Each structure stands twice: as structure tokens, then as C-alpha cells.
Amino acid sequence: GRGKMVVTFMMGTRRLYDFVHDNPAICMMPVSYVNDPFVISQNDNVVSINSALQIDLMGQVCAEAIGLKQYSAVGGQMDFVRGASASKGGRSIIAFGATTKGGTISKIVPFLAEGAAVTTSRNDVDYIVTEYGIAHLKGKCLRERARELIKIAAPAFREELSGEFEKRFGEVLLV
């Protein structure tokens, strides 16, 4: 209903459970409703924010595995990305730290790890955000996508990613 917080599950502290208990502002609904892109899109200005484990230079997002090792599940990422995209004024954001393992591994990579699943296709990606900036990928060609992603990669990895850019596009990218 209008003016309510619609949720499909919650997990948290005693404070959260006390807040939810008998709260008329909370509307618990099944995942088949909450994650339905058609239902999501009926709200104006939806902003979906999801995370990722890796993103390649084409803009493909993996949010569920590290190579062949399953780490998480798909969840509602695609549902909310597509629902936000169809929402009037909506947008979707994939936000994550640019590195892992204490800054030694880039999460922006030339290619997803072998065996990794594509959770969100490059055609569905709108914004990618790291601590180094924002890349707006929607509607951009592969060259522009790669350029945008390299700009928001951790500085220690930009030269390596630029080398891949040069191999693919025959253009030197100054970082």
C-alpha cells in the first residue's frame, strides 16, 4: 500500500525486530511481488543500489561468484535493475569498492574470472560507482564503457587496464 515500507524479508538487530513488530507502516509481501520488475516500475524515480564482486571492461557485472566458486546468489539484482530502468525517472546503481584483499586485487577487470556468471548484463547496467568516481554506462559503446570504468578503477590498476584497452581498441589511453 501507499506510504508503507514494502519488504520481503528482514534480518537484523533486536532494534529492527522491535520496530517491525505490529508496525502498520510495514507491509510484508512475498518475493514474487516485491521483486517483480513490473511492480517496481510502477513507482516513479526508483533508485536501485546493488553491489558486485567483479565488473569487466564491457560492463558485465558478476555479483554471485568468484570464478567457479559460488559466493552469493542472484537475489533481486536483475529484478531491481530492470524495474528501476522502467520506472519514470528511475536509475540503477552498482556500487562497490574498487579493490579487495587490502587493495591487492582490482574488482574492475579486463575479463570476468573464468567460470563467473554474468548477474547483470552490460546492456542493463546504468551507473557504476566506486570510491574513485561514477561511470555512466547506459547507452555507451564498448570503447566508452571501458574508458569510463578505467577512470573509476583503483589508481594502482589503471595502467594495466589501459594496456588491455590499447590491445582491444588500438588506442593509447593516458591515465
Side-chain angles (χ1 to χ4, degrees):
R2 204 168 270 298
K4 293 187 183 273
M5 292 175 261
V6 179
V7 297
T8 197
F9 72 92
M10 288 185 243
M11 192 166 117
T13 62
R14 168 59 43 207
R15 185 174 172 202
L16 171 68
Y17 300 134
D18 289 344
F19 173 76
V20 171
H21 184 70
D22 286 334
N23 187 335
I26 304 293
C27 181
M28 293 290 290
M29 299 293 289
V31 72
S32 59
Y33 176 82
V34 174
N35 287 26
D36 183 333
F38 178 74
V39 171
I40 295 164
S41 72
Q42 292 177 50
N43 296 283
D44 291 347
N45 303 306
V46 171
V47 177
S48 76
I49 303 173
N50 289 281
S51 192
L53 297 170
Q54 274 188 332
I55 182 165
D56 70 12
L57 289 178
M58 292 187 293
Q60 298 184 116
V61 175
C62 177
E64 55 195 288
I66 300 170
L68 291 169
K69 184 178 180 186
Q70 194 70 29
Y71 181 79
S72 180
V74 175
Q77 184 167 114
M78 272 308 306
D79 300 323
F80 279 89
V81 165
R82 289 191 172 152
S85 291
S87 162
K88 180 181 174 191
R91 55 217 163 274
S92 67
I93 298 166
I94 305 292
F96 60 98
T99 63
T100 188
K101 299 281 186 197
T104 61
I105 297 173
S106 180
K107 289 184 173 184
I108 297 175
V109 295
F111 305 96
L112 295 180
E114 185 177 3
V118 174
T119 308
T120 300
S121 81
R122 67 187 194 197
N123 300 313
D124 288 301
V125 170
D126 197 356
Y127 291 94
I128 304 291
V129 177
T130 72
E131 64 272 37
Y132 298 102
I134 301 168
H136 188 207
L137 303 187
K138 192 70 149 190
K140 296 203 170 138
C141 71
L142 294 179
R143 179 185 305 252
E144 293 168 327
R145 288 165 175 270
R147 191 179 285 124
E148 290 283 312
L149 287 163
I150 292 167
K151 285 183 196 171
I152 66 164
F157 297 96
R158 291 180 190 163
E159 190 174 321
E160 176 186 335
L161 292 167
S162 295
E164 179 62 32
F165 183 92
E166 186 175 348
K167 279 197 302 192
R168 282 188 203 184
F169 302 109
E171 176 186 329
V172 175
L173 186 65
L174 301 173
V175 288

